[in-house]
Amino acid sequence: AVAGSTVELGCSARGDPVPQVQWHKEHGDLPWGRHEVDREHTLRLYAVTSADAGAYVCTAQSQLGTAAATTFLRV
């Protein structure tokens, strides 16, 4: 990603019952005041900086179990 741009990271999670989806950064916190997660579980990072680079994990959880996927962001 280019520094200063907006990045969208998608996460597709379906099931019955519908799983709860959460995003986190593997080593650190999501950028305070510069991120949001929409109803489709897409994580948006605004005005990215080199400090935002790293691994981001999407975790889907229901009473039937947990699944996770990791994506890597380079700035």
Side-chain angles (χ1 to χ4, degrees):
V2 176
S5 67
T6 297
V7 174
E8 293 187 353
L9 304 176
C11 181
S12 178
R14 292 183 290 271
D16 186 15
V18 176
Q20 288 201 316
V21 175
Q22 291 186 317
W23 278 97
H24 71 275
K25 190 173 181 189
E26 198 167 66
H27 299 290
D29 297 322
L30 293 174
W32 189 83
R34 294 187 297 110
H35 78 276
E36 70 177 3
V37 179
D38 68 17
R39 294 179 66 153
E40 286 78 40
H41 314 301
T42 298
L43 172 64
R44 279 189 194 80
L45 304 172
Y46 298 101
V48 295
T49 69
S50 58
D52 297 324
Y56 289 81
V57 182
C58 170
T59 303
Q61 184 173 9
S62 76
Q63 56 259 53
L64 297 178
T66 301
T70 303
T71 190
F72 296 90
L73 175 63
R74 287 181 23 192
V75 180

